Amino acid sequence: MDKFVVRGGNPLLGTIKVSGAKNSALPCMAAAILTEDEVILENIPQVNDIETERKLLTSMGAEVELGYGRAQHRTRIKCAILSDPVAKYEIVKTMRASSLVLGPLIARTGIARVAMPGGCAIGGRPIDLHINGLEAMGATITQDHGYLEARADRLKGAHIVFDKITVTGTEDLLMAATLAEGESVFENCAREPEVTDLAALLIAMGAKIEGAGTGTIRIQGVSKLHGARHRINPDRIEAGTFLIAGAITGGDLNVDCCEPKHLGALITKLEQCGVKIDVGTDHVRVRSGGELKAADITTEEYPGFPTDMQAQYMALATQAEGTSTVIENIFENRFMHVQELIRMGANITISGRTATVRGKTPLQSAAVMCSDLRASASLVLAALVADGETILDRVYHLDRGYEHFEEKLRGVGAQIRRMGDVFGRK
Ligand code: UD1
């Protein structure tokens, strides 16, 4: 298993580029299932979850070319024939987003067999809302041996009010509704930019969708979708992680090729912490404004503070003067980075969904273990300011979602290198 070796102490200086959003790319790749034509996606990040999705689609009979036409970040997908509409456990066990193929598969082929998802171990993470929605659209769903099987001759449009806001649930049902008979109206939808990105692709494919990015989405089902070309949004979580990297190291970092409009809650919070921020059209510059000050966060659905930035923010809070309260509202059990930060010298206590961070505490290097994707990023951020050399184990979690993370950070002055396993295991 690969490890990172990070020596702390360098302020990050210069320009760092943001890749395409993994969480937009995954549903957009799944959307290609809805048509027998070719779908070309630009700005696909080179991360392991994308490779998993490629394997998943290929195993069903699709043609998927990552790096199409010699463009590293272009992907061509053609689902002319889906001979095996099954998402196998061996492929999906590492990636919860596999549930995203459920809606498009049943809409296109009338049958879907999908292994119950794995992915980050942050709470129970059920998919009941996907299932309830598809049932409301007329699908029959059964469960056996860890697989869900969904069947329907043709899905029917439905009025669905989500009990709880779910990002991939909204995306899954949105895809299903594009080919359903009649109108669907979804309420209490996720408003995340990734939903809007997916809707833009679906509209380019011929879908009739109104209201994506708001709480209510209306879809008029059509009988067929066609091919399209679409560019994936910049990754707001990667951009946010770099903003914190600049802030925590007291550097001067220009985070380029991002969409500042998607970073509002984080930028506001960083300003409260005393960080200087300059916002451009497609870049954000972050600079030290002297000592960092404590500020509280509560994670919420978009446009609130993203749960996917909570762990990274907590690393920053350890370096801020005063007490910061961090409330995690979206997932239970998303504080697995806390024990590792404490081992590095942080003063953090947890009570239920609330973590209290008392700063500023000097951090020391240690051997630490990555437990999930964003927790890994949090530990790298902490290591960038720790005294000495931190060794991070299990960076395969990070490789699921950050493209060339250590190379990008090295390019702006971080001392970080990857150490391979002697047996070559990932
Ligand atoms: C997506 C993101 C993930 C992010 C999360 C919240 C992708 C691939 N992943 O995950 O990075 O952390 O949004 O912004 O886009 N829930 C149910 N039943 C369901 C579905 C969800 O109870 O059927 C609950 C979950 O347990 C959680 C909450 O709803 O408490 C939100 O989860 P959801 O928005 O679905 O997260 P994901 O779409 O899996």
Side-chain angles (χ1 to χ4, degrees), residues 22-23 26 96-97 100 122 124-130 164-169 171 192 307-308 330-332 334 374:
K22 162 186 91 77
N23 285 355
L26 293 173
R96 176 183 158 79
L100 279 167
I122 47 176
R125 307 191 77 173
I127 58 164
D128 54 314
L129 301 173
H130 301 233
K164 194 170 182 180
I165 296 180
T166 159
V167 179
T168 49
E171 293 165 348
E192 267 66 2
T307 174
D308 283 354
I330 308 295
F331 293 110
E332 82 267 25
R334 202 174 194 179
R374 307 304 171 186

Side-chain angles (χ1 to χ4, degrees), residues 96-300:
R96 176 183 158 79
S98 60
S99 50
L100 279 167
V101 299
L102 189 59
L105 266 185
I106 183 168
R108 166 88 185 275
T109 68
I111 179 162
R113 235 177 109 72
V114 174
M116 303 285 280
C120 281
I122 47 176
R125 307 191 77 173
I127 58 164
D128 54 314
L129 301 173
H130 301 233
I131 296 170
N132 296 348
L134 289 172
E135 281 177 343
M137 295 170 83
T140 309
I141 301 189
T142 50
Q143 191 183 331
D144 69 277
H145 304 286
Y147 279 78
L148 287 175
E149 186 167 297
R151 287 176 184 268
D153 287 338
R154 185 175 177 198
L155 294 172
K156 293 186 175 48
H159 183 187
I160 295 168
V161 183
F162 288 99
D163 281 349
K164 194 170 182 180
I165 296 180
T166 159
V167 179
T168 49
T170 302
E171 293 165 348
D172 200 16
L173 298 187
L174 174 61
M175 288 188 273
T178 58
L179 288 181
E181 191 183 338
E183 185 181 63
S184 295
V185 180
F186 297 160
E187 293 185 70
N188 201 25
C189 295
R191 293 176 288 162
E192 267 66 2
E194 294 75 29
V195 175
T196 318
D197 208 2
L198 169 66
L201 166 64
L202 293 169
I203 290 168
M205 291 167 71
K208 298 203 165 15
I209 301 169
E210 277 173 24
T214 75
T216 304
I217 306 182
R218 282 177 190 276
I219 308 110
Q220 297 291 341
V222 295
S223 55
K224 215 171 163 43
L225 293 177
H226 52 70
R229 188 178 273 263
H230 176 74
R231 187 175 172 82
I232 301 293
N233 271 335
D235 194 316
R236 63 195 170 98
I237 305 301
E238 187 196 17
T241 304
F242 292 152
L243 288 177
I244 292 189
I248 199 171
T249 60
D252 183 348
L253 197 60
N254 181 32
V255 179
D256 200 12
C257 307
C258 64
E259 176 46 270
K261 285 195 204 93
H262 297 164
L263 295 164
L266 176 64
I267 288 175
T268 305
K269 202 48 70 176
L270 289 176
E271 284 174 337
Q272 278 177 26
C273 292
V275 178
K276 288 196 178 138
I277 303 269
D278 301 307
V279 177
T281 46
D282 64 350
H283 64 271
V284 179
R285 181 177 172 197
V286 58
R287 277 176 297 154
S288 164
E291 285 293 304
L292 290 165
K293 296 189 290 264
D296 302 338
I297 60 159
T298 299
T299 64
E300 282 165 14

